[in-house]
Amino acid sequence: MNTVRRNPPKPAPTLVEGTLKLRPRAKEENAPEERAERAAPRPAPRRERDAGSPAAPRGRGGAGSDARAGTDEGGRSGGRPGAKSDAKSDARPGARSNTRPGGRTDARSGGRTDARPGPKGGPRPDARPGPRPERPAGAKPDAKPGERTRGADHDAAPRPPRTETGPSAAAARPQEGVRLSKVMAERGICSRREADEYIERGWVFVDGRRVSELGVRIDPAARIDLSPEASRTQRERVTILLHKPVGYVSGQPEPGYEPAVSLIGPGNQFDRDSAQRFHPSHLKNLAPAGRLDIDSTGLLVLTQDGRVARQLIGEESEIDKEYLVRVEGALAENGLELLRHGLWLDDRPLRPAQVEWINDDQLRFVLREGRKRQIRRMCELVGLQVVGLKRVRIGRVRLADLPIGEWRFLREDERFG
């Protein structure tokens, strides 16, 4: 038989904090403390407190830290009657203290202080108690007492100039003399490219001493001799005279046109009975020494010898060239004088030229320079149009009776200058 108790026993009151069951005596005990805290003046903010009292220690575990901790933590714990208390050290007498060695106090003990220990374990004084002393000019920052520093007077002392030695210093100094290859080319011994080749092979002697290193500089007045091997190589290099027809380009081939060098072969050698026979080695490094337009005909020089090329087309060349020019149109009033001297091409004045009439429609030109399509452009400036152009002489070498499209070797007794 089940029986129900009409008056069940009441549960015993709990002493655990943080539950919904509150002790009425806690409110009565805390009421005087709350009224005292509300009536007390609230401390000033930290910035104002620091500005007003610069001598106060900056350590977090000092008096200012205790006041702040009591205000913040106590205000939250005792501001509302019956609220949960965050300060466990005030809840029960004899509670464990959470103060750490060196002045650091945990937030659970009523306020967190992070004051670091000073020289002997106490709070560290403020790092900026007043204006920072000025450091002497030139002094080393954070110099320790007794440490040697470099002053401004020491830095201002003049330093002796540095003297560089070694291979790098020798390379930086300007070298005396002129490059050997340049001197050889200026004297007409060979071209600069040929000079480098001879030097590498050890075929060049300067004042009786063999030179086999490129880039050597010498006295411009030094004596230069070639070995027999170099002299023999020069004699083997050929120079060819070609009567170029219209339609062949003198230099690099163009689309639809053949280069003039393609005419050099055994089939059209003019002097095959009196000179050496053609050999394919004669085409090696064979290049034109001067240009002749695709629409022009006449004497064209092709050579393997750098001395000949420099003599004909070098910047300092004084070899003249003669042309027969057939023209159409009406010559300007002073056109003949302008053709002789006074015209400009490519923003540069032309050298003086010899120009004269041969017959009613043909002019004779003698020039000492060779710009691109020079004669045709000169005639256009004075009202004439070129319909035919033939080169008949280069220096002292004439085209003579060389048939068109054929070639011959330059003879040993022939010289351009």
Side-chain angles (χ1 to χ4, degrees), residues 155-218:
D155 291 339
R159 298 180 180 179
R162 297 179 58 184
T163 303
E164 297 184 359
T165 59
S168 59
R173 291 193 296 267
Q175 300 182 5
E176 299 179 356
V178 184
R179 290 177 66 97
L180 175 57
S181 58
K182 182 178 180 181
V183 176
M184 295 175 66
E186 290 177 348
R187 294 188 186 182
I189 299 175
C190 59
S191 66
R192 298 189 67 167
R193 180 179 59 83
E194 293 171 346
D196 290 339
E197 179 184 350
Y198 296 162
I199 293 172
E200 287 182 326
R201 295 186 177 186
W203 292 352
V204 181
F205 295 85
V206 178
D207 291 335
R209 300 180 60 181
R210 186 188 301 269
V211 178
S212 59
E213 182 181 354
L214 295 177
V216 172
R217 294 178 177 269
I218 66 169

Side-chain angles (χ1 to χ4, degrees), residues 26-62:
K27 180 177 181 181
E28 295 175 1
E29 293 174 358
N30 295 336
E33 297 177 1
E34 294 175 1
R35 286 194 297 269
E37 290 176 357
R38 292 178 182 177
R42 191 177 185 88
R46 183 177 180 182
R47 297 182 179 177
E48 298 178 2
R49 185 169 63 253
D50 294 343
S53 57
R58 195 178 177 183
R60 299 182 184 177

